[in-house]
Amino acid sequence: MIRILQQDNKATKIIFAVIIGAACLSMVAYLIPGIGDNSASAGNAGVFATVRDPGFFGKFSGDSTDIKTSEVNQIAQQQLQQQRLPEGFLQFLLPRAGQMLVQRAILQHEADRMHLQVSDADLARELQTGSFARYIFPNGQYIGDDKYINFVQTYFQLSRAEFESQVKGDMELNRLQALVTGGVSVSDNAVREAYKTQGTKVKFDYAVVSADDIRKTINPSDAELQDFFKKSASRYATAVPEQRKIEYFSFDASNLPGGKPQVTDAEIASYYNQHQDQYQVKEQVKTRHILIQVPSGADAKTDAAAKAKAADILKQIKAGGNFADLASKNSDDPGSKTQGGELPMIPTAGLDPAYAKAAMALKPGETSDLVRSQFGYHIIQTEAKDSAHAKPLAEVKEQIVPLLEQQKAGAAEQSYAAQLAAEAKSKGLEKTAAAHNLKTTTTDFIGKDGVIGGVADPAQLLTQSFSAAKGAAPASVSTGDGFAIFQVVDVKPAHAPDFAEYKSHILDDYREQQVPQLLNAKLTKLADRAKVLNDLKKAAAEMNVPVKTSELVGKDGQVPDVGSMSGQASVAFTLAKGAISAPINNGTTGIVLSVTDKQEPTAEDIAKNFDATREQLLSTQREEIFRVYIGTLTDTYTKKGAIKYSQKQPAPGSSPFGG
């Protein structure tokens, strides 16, 4: 189901958008309220929920759909990656992914109840003419059962029966959506007004007030800063972070008793035997080729012309023609023709099956007859080939040795670190270090992001040092190229800074607090003055504010210092020529604009784009109606107890951050 959900299907897209899309970040109430834990599937960890037909007879019909937990997990993981969210959001996404699948199951039940089932004949027509046709019926010809099954398994990880069942399910949902939204219409006037709004362009002058410029004008006295500092005591109570003094000694593999561990031939052979799968070489081939392309769906005449052209080139090669020159002049493969048709060594699994079979059948240096692939006609010259095989131990020994050396050294270092830590608990760090020809170091007071000299990677040492108690027993920690044995000898708690030492930071904070209010005040004064004078440029000159002029832009345009014209600046499209806007504040800059030109689309433009605009409006309204339909239907199924969850779902409004 997961792969099918990724297909270009409007019903699925709507469900996906409603449940998971922007809601991933909004942390608002869950879409299905009132979820209980009275479940027919309670205790079954493999089932997220079960959906049945609502009503009295639905309880006894046996016609129910189980939503698998594995499918919920897959969709949640996919959303986590697509949205680039922290791992902690997974627990928040899991219920939402589950609700999306629940709603799909609800729609499937409704489609069945309304007798919208798809027959085998319907499915056959869809596979021959729909979005999968170019893969299963290229040029109108069925690829055969074996290739069909391989296609489904490779790209969807489904059996043929599962794939066809899912395609039927999508077709049913499309029929249901068409039935629900079939009566949607828009008036001609609505279409004209919509395109008039979309197609309007404006040009404007705009005065820019920068937050950075405002910030530079804020220069408080020391007395004002000290007053701000006192009033913000809680803000600065821990402004100077905790610092710690750490005593430690470190070692790497060169300090191990007995030296760096050696690897034996027996260990190398054992590793090789246990990791045979890593040393398998797939069947691969290096070729040159000349492609005479045949467009997908081409008629017999076009195909015959391409074949004749390829045959003529093959005749020239057999007569002694230079393969590379002929490829450069004639091949339709842009990726290889400039290299004389040469391709790199490629695993045959990544090649067209007909091409791969022909290339592997040739001896190095031999040239094929014409080979027909899904792309057209090829002439292939095999340069080198490898059958599938395992690399011999002698060939990979140099790769294995450093891995085993690193493993053995790592284990020896870890054991030695544990020994030294135990010894340091009884003898102390300094005596232990001296007994093993190592040297202790004591840092100055440092913070969590401090630098520790002589340690390749101090990250873990710092992390563990800041979680250990002062004077706690010595402990060991990895340093990237070895280990360190450490102890926290002193702690300086986080505290408020001295005013004089922290004055520059306090000044920055004071300015940041003042900027928003001053920016708004200046923008408001500018807008008011411009409207009094009915002249933005004069008002800006009086206040020493720079004025810029935009190009003629539409709602999809971008303007420097303004940003997207679909944002707050879209007010420009509602103003008459010569009108002056209210303040527009985006936080870092603010503007006041005055429209100098406004061009609305002509009647000819509207007529030209009428059909496309109508379809866009219809599509938007259909999707909105279907969203409402899904919500109403889900509420009905919930109230009638037709959705049973295996576990209690999070309460409405719950957050991934708790609380």
Side-chain angles (χ1 to χ4, degrees), residues 228-303:
F228 173 76
F229 182 57
K230 289 177 183 177
K231 289 179 179 178
S232 306
S234 60
R235 175 179 185 170
Y236 295 109
T238 57
V240 178
E242 178 184 313
Q243 294 182 311
R244 296 192 168 206
K245 187 176 286 188
I246 305 164
E247 184 180 7
Y248 71 96
F249 65 85
S250 62
F251 70 90
D252 57 27
S254 66
N255 303 117
L256 290 171
K260 187 176 180 181
Q262 299 300 306
V263 178
T264 67
D265 288 342
E267 289 171 330
I268 295 170
S270 176
Y271 183 91
Y272 173 78
N273 291 330
Q274 292 174 26
H275 298 82
Q276 281 279 322
D277 57 319
Q278 296 181 14
Y279 305 113
Q280 297 296 319
V281 177
K282 295 181 180 179
E283 181 182 79
Q284 53 187 350
V285 65
K286 186 174 188 295
T287 58
R288 287 183 185 272
H289 81 127
I290 299 171
L291 169 65
I292 304 303
Q293 191 173 23
V294 179
S296 177
D299 56 25
K301 183 178 179 181
T302 302
D303 187 284

Side-chain angles (χ1 to χ4, degrees), residues 1-21:
M1 178 179 286
I2 302 303
R3 292 284 185 173
I4 297 296
L5 286 170
Q6 296 173 356
Q7 298 302 310
D8 189 11
N9 177 293
K10 284 187 179 180
T12 301
K13 280 183 176 178
I14 294 171
I15 302 169
F16 215 84
V18 171
I19 307 297
I20 293 181

Side-chain angles (χ1 to χ4, degrees), residues 41 75 536 569 608:
S41 303
I75 287 186
L536 176 62
K608 183 179 179 180

Side-chain angles (χ1 to χ4, degrees), residues 49-54 58-59 61-67 101-117 169 172-173 176 629 633 637 642-643:
T50 299
V51 177
R52 63 168 176 80
D53 290 338
K59 296 180 180 180
S61 68
D63 184 14
S64 62
T65 302
D66 285 340
I67 311 301
L101 291 174
V102 165
Q103 291 202 332
R104 179 183 170 88
I106 290 172
L107 291 173
Q108 204 79 57
H109 276 259
E110 282 301 295
D112 291 344
R113 187 181 65 79
M114 299 171 74
H115 306 294
L116 300 177
Q117 291 91 340
E172 283 190 27
L173 296 189
L176 178 62
Y629 174 76
L633 201 58
Y637 270 64
I643 309 169

Side-chain angles (χ1 to χ4, degrees), residues 541-558:
E542 287 181 1
M543 296 177 61
N544 197 29
V545 174
V547 175
K548 300 181 180 181
T549 302
S550 76
E551 300 292 334
L552 197 63
V553 292
K555 279 196 171 182
D556 58 349
Q558 295 273 341

Side-chain angles (χ1 to χ4, degrees), residues 39-50 66-69 645-647:
S39 170
S41 303
N44 186 351
V47 176
F48 173 81
T50 299
D66 285 340
I67 311 301
K68 296 178 181 178
T69 304
Y645 293 86
S646 60
Q647 295 181 5

Side-chain angles (χ1 to χ4, degrees), residues 51-208:
V51 177
R52 63 168 176 80
D53 290 338
F56 178 79
F57 292 105
K59 296 180 180 180
F60 308 103
S61 68
D63 184 14
S64 62
T65 302
D66 285 340
I67 311 301
K68 296 178 181 178
T69 304
S70 59
E71 293 179 338
V72 175
N73 289 336
Q74 280 183 274
I75 287 186
Q77 287 286 355
Q78 180 191 53
Q79 284 299 297
L80 194 75
Q81 294 170 9
Q82 289 178 349
Q83 299 286 341
R84 297 182 180 178
L85 296 172
E87 191 68 30
F89 271 78
L90 183 62
Q91 62 179 348
F92 183 65
L93 295 178
L94 283 169
R96 296 183 181 280
Q99 305 317 322
M100 188 275 287
L101 291 174
V102 165
Q103 291 202 332
R104 179 183 170 88
I106 290 172
L107 291 173
Q108 204 79 57
H109 276 259
E110 282 301 295
D112 291 344
R113 187 181 65 79
M114 299 171 74
H115 306 294
L116 300 177
Q117 291 91 340
V118 175
S119 68
D120 290 342
D122 294 332
L123 173 66
R125 280 193 296 273
E126 173 65 20
L127 295 179
Q128 289 181 17
T129 60
S131 58
F132 296 113
R134 59 177 174 155
Y135 305 106
I136 303 172
F137 287 87
N139 301 319
Q141 299 298 313
Y142 180 47
I143 59 176
D145 287 348
D146 290 343
K147 290 183 178 178
Y148 175 30
I149 292 170
N150 182 63
F151 166 74
V152 170
Q153 290 177 340
T154 300
Y155 292 99
F156 302 98
Q157 288 82 55
L158 296 171
S159 68
R160 176 175 180 169
E162 290 171 332
F163 172 75
E164 292 182 352
S165 174
Q166 293 303 325
V167 173
K168 280 186 174 182
D170 285 345
M171 293 173 67
E172 283 190 27
L173 296 189
N174 285 336
R175 288 181 176 184
L176 178 62
Q177 184 186 13
L179 184 65
V180 171
T181 63
V184 174
S185 63
V186 292
S187 68
D188 289 354
N189 188 55
V191 175
R192 284 190 285 269
E193 287 301 314
Y195 187 74
K196 186 176 179 181
T197 300
Q198 293 174 16
T200 296
K201 293 184 177 182
V202 293
K203 184 176 182 180
F204 53 88
D205 294 330
Y206 59 105
V208 182

